[in-house]
Amino acid sequence: MTQIGNDTVGQTCDVDGIRLHYRTDGERGKPCLVLSNSLGTDLSMWDAQAAALAGDFFVVRYDTRGHGRSASGGASFGIDRLGLDVVALLDHLDIERAAFCGISMGGLTGQWLGIHQPRRLTRLVLANTAARIGGAAPWQLRSEQVRRDGMAAVADSAATRWFTPQFIEREAETVARLAGILRSQDADGYAACCDVLARTDLHDGVGTIAVPTLIIAGEHDPVTTIDDGRWLQQQIAGARLASLPASHISNIEAADMFTAQLRTFLL
């Protein structure tokens, strides 16, 4: 059974006046791998990958601004701020360059880093993501909804966007735990990230990414489709595409295969 929880406590650093929560696994001095979570989750979503890869990497995972134990700052921000948070975290840890793996919203952060901060990256993994995730109007509506009604308004329906019906039936405890993490998120922080997704379109920039890149897509993902992954592969010179038998949160639904793809690409 997949074990995911929200009790993964690490350290914090001050970034742009807000508290950013992170955790490290593995030994310093080994190649660094940064893991960036999806909307509505926290760094515990990477438990399986951190445990499996800590022997080979210095794994740094963090709660995206406005998520988990990281503050949002109470002000509007953009995808550039989410990318610069990663740069500031690396600076805080005195790490010059790292591999980066982001899923969904974290994948957008990874694209921004590949476009604007390539010197900080050794390799880039973009999982279950797209140059633009959905349209502006649905994200704006969701942002307004959670600010008005709280996180319960979106938590109850999240599982069907994140996982296949088969996984939901087979791993009911894991799905319930992740829904609980979503329900516990700060509504304003979550809404602020919905606003980021509403505004972010990186179609014009991804073709400039020159960092070695792996794209991971879920065969059953209704949010960021296989076609989204193929488009990214076509735009990024030399990029590889791996498809997994999973929906949107493929690092949990197909954890072993996801980790194997990371290991093969990064080592």
Side-chain angles (χ1 to χ4, degrees), residues 37-82:
N37 61 284
S38 61
L39 179 72
T41 64
D42 61 19
L43 60 75
S44 72
M45 77 173 300
W46 297 110
D47 283 352
Q49 285 73 42
L53 297 173
D56 296 305
F57 296 92
F58 181 58
V59 181
V60 178
R61 44 189 169 136
Y62 69 101
D63 291 334
T64 296
R65 177 180 290 248
H67 285 65
R69 293 182 172 90
S70 290
S72 66
S76 177
F77 51 85
I79 191 63
D80 57 336
R81 181 65 264 166
L82 297 186

Side-chain angles (χ1 to χ4, degrees), residues 249-261:
I249 309 296
S250 66
N251 76 300
I252 293 175
E253 182 160 2
D256 290 345
M257 286 182 277
F258 190 103
T259 303
Q261 289 290 338

Side-chain angles (χ1 to χ4, degrees), residues 30 43 84 104 143 147 162 167 169 175 188-190 211 238:
K30 291 187 176 180
L43 60 75
L84 290 171
S104 192
S143 173
R147 283 191 168 104
W162 285 352
F167 185 84
E169 181 178 2
V175 173
D188 287 336
Y190 179 93
V211 180

Side-chain angles (χ1 to χ4, degrees), residues 150-174:
M151 293 305 302
V154 295
D156 292 340
S157 61
T160 57
R161 297 190 299 272
W162 285 352
F163 302 113
T164 63
Q166 294 83 0
F167 185 84
I168 292 170
E169 181 178 2
R170 186 175 71 248
E171 296 282 0
E173 184 177 339
T174 297

Side-chain angles (χ1 to χ4, degrees), residues 39-40 138-162 179-188 190-191 194:
L39 179 72
W139 289 120
Q140 291 166 348
L141 288 173
R142 190 183 299 186
S143 173
E144 294 166 2
Q145 182 184 28
V146 298
R147 283 191 168 104
R148 182 183 63 246
D149 302 327
M151 293 305 302
V154 295
D156 292 340
S157 61
T160 57
R161 297 190 299 272
W162 285 352
I181 291 172
L182 175 58
R183 192 173 287 106
S184 70
Q185 299 291 345
D186 174 71
D188 287 336
Y190 179 93
C194 289

